[in-house]
Each structure stands twice: as C-alpha cells, then as structure tokens.
Amino acid sequence: MRHRHGENAPIPEVWTGRATNRVQWLLALIGAACMALGITLAVDSAWESGVAPLVMAVVGCIAAGLLVLFGTLAFVHVALRVDQECLEVRCGHIGVPRRRIPLSHVAGAEFAPLVTPRHWGGWGYRWRPEKGTAVVVRRGEGVILRLWDGHTFTITVDDAEVAVRVIKERLRPKSPGPAAH
C-alpha cells in the first residue's frame, strides 16, 4: 500500500511505518495444525508399534508446529520507527527480532521501489554476504540504509519514500544558530 505525501510536508518528530504480510497467517495455521496433530496423537494414541515411535511422532509434530507457528508469526509484519537519534525495526506482534540503529551509524538512505523475498532468499530477517541484512515481510517498496561500516540494512515498509526523506533530513548537519557574543 502506497501513500503519497507532499514533498514539502513537515518532518514529524517521530515517523512510524509498517508493512504486513497476510500470507504468513496461512503458514501460521499450518503450524497450528501440526501442533493439533501432535496433541491428537498423544491423547488418542492407537499405535501398536510401541511407545518410541509414538513419542517421536508427537514430539516431531509439536516441534514442527511450534517452529512454523512462531517463526511465521514473528514476520507477519514489521514496524519501523525513526526519531531524532535512532531508527528501530520491530518484527511481529511481540517486536522480536528487534534492531536499533543509531542515526550516527547511518551514512545514507535510499528508496527501493521493489524488494522481494526472492532477492533475499525468503521472508524474515535475512543476511546475504553480497547484499547485507534485511527484514523482508512482503514484496514491495522498502528502505535501504547504507551504514558507515560498509554494510547495508534493507527494510520493507509502506511509505518507504517518506521514510527515506525523514532519515535523510535527520542525517543532514544542523545549521548553526546565530553567533552568541
């Protein structure tokens, strides 16, 4: 979803943005179904081949279900917050994983009109040696931060153009006030 804001709109004290991926809810349901299967096997076990295979099936289903469920819920959405001192990225409903980047570590910001999970090897918190680090929750626009240490950090977020403008404004050196005598 894109929102156009005027180029001359005032820069807010705190800018917040967000991106959501509803497909992740389908994957979360699959994880919940795996857990339900594991619980059903544990409660209504009619296995006659022994306890070990039953325990392995139950533990396997519940573990896979938990991994898929919580792994997908962590990346249903990403929230970006930019204030005067830092940029903070929080994922999912509980805000984990979270990354806080002081603006003093940011050399520049660019608008990316199309960031896709395919570019990064899937959804989620990603790292690729040749590309840097990214939080990708959906296909679409994003922000690419160039850090002073030579790394990049990419975030998919709605209103990415506005986010870049806010970040660039924060990175500008402040003009000195009138000289005091």
Side-chain angles (χ1 to χ4, degrees):
M1 174 194 289
R2 276 187 92 164
H3 305 284
R4 287 277 185 192
H5 293 279
E7 214 33 58
N8 297 325
I11 302 292
E13 285 291 314
V14 176
W15 184 89
T16 58
R18 183 179 170 112
T20 301
N21 183 345
R22 290 181 185 90
V23 172
Q24 295 287 71
W25 286 108
L26 178 61
L27 295 173
L29 286 174
I30 292 170
C34 283
M35 285 180 45
L37 176 61
I39 292 167
T40 302
L41 286 173
V43 172
D44 190 27
S45 63
W47 287 43
E48 299 190 12
S49 57
V51 174
L54 174 63
V55 169
M56 290 178 8
V58 169
V59 170
C61 285
I62 291 175
L66 284 172
L67 183 66
V68 171
L69 180 64
F70 290 114
T72 56
L73 288 180
F75 295 102
V76 167
H77 69 263
V78 64
L80 174 63
R81 181 181 190 275
V82 181
D83 62 25
Q84 299 293 332
E85 298 175 11
C86 74
L87 178 141
E88 186 175 69
V89 178
R90 290 177 174 248
C91 300
H93 294 291
I94 59 174
V96 177
R98 178 179 89 168
R99 182 158 181 196
R100 184 178 164 95
I101 302 172
L103 290 175
S104 60
H105 294 183
V106 179
E110 299 173 24
F111 171 71
L114 183 62
V115 177
T116 68
R118 188 175 53 114
H119 293 143
W120 287 94
W123 287 311
Y125 202 103
R126 298 295 178 171
W127 174 75
R128 293 190 51 191
E130 73 280 4
K131 293 185 76 128
T133 307
V135 175
V136 180
V137 297
R138 54 106 172 110
R139 174 188 167 105
E141 62 186 302
V143 175
I144 300 173
L145 297 175
R146 305 247 176 248
L147 306 177
W148 285 112
D149 65 4
H151 294 102
T152 62
F153 187 67
T154 303
I155 309 112
T156 54
V157 65
D158 294 337
D159 276 344
E161 285 179 297
V162 176
V164 167
R165 187 168 64 88
V166 169
I167 293 165
K168 285 181 175 180
E169 181 65 30
R170 300 276 196 270
L171 296 178
R172 284 192 189 144
K174 305 299 180 230
S175 59
H181 296 292

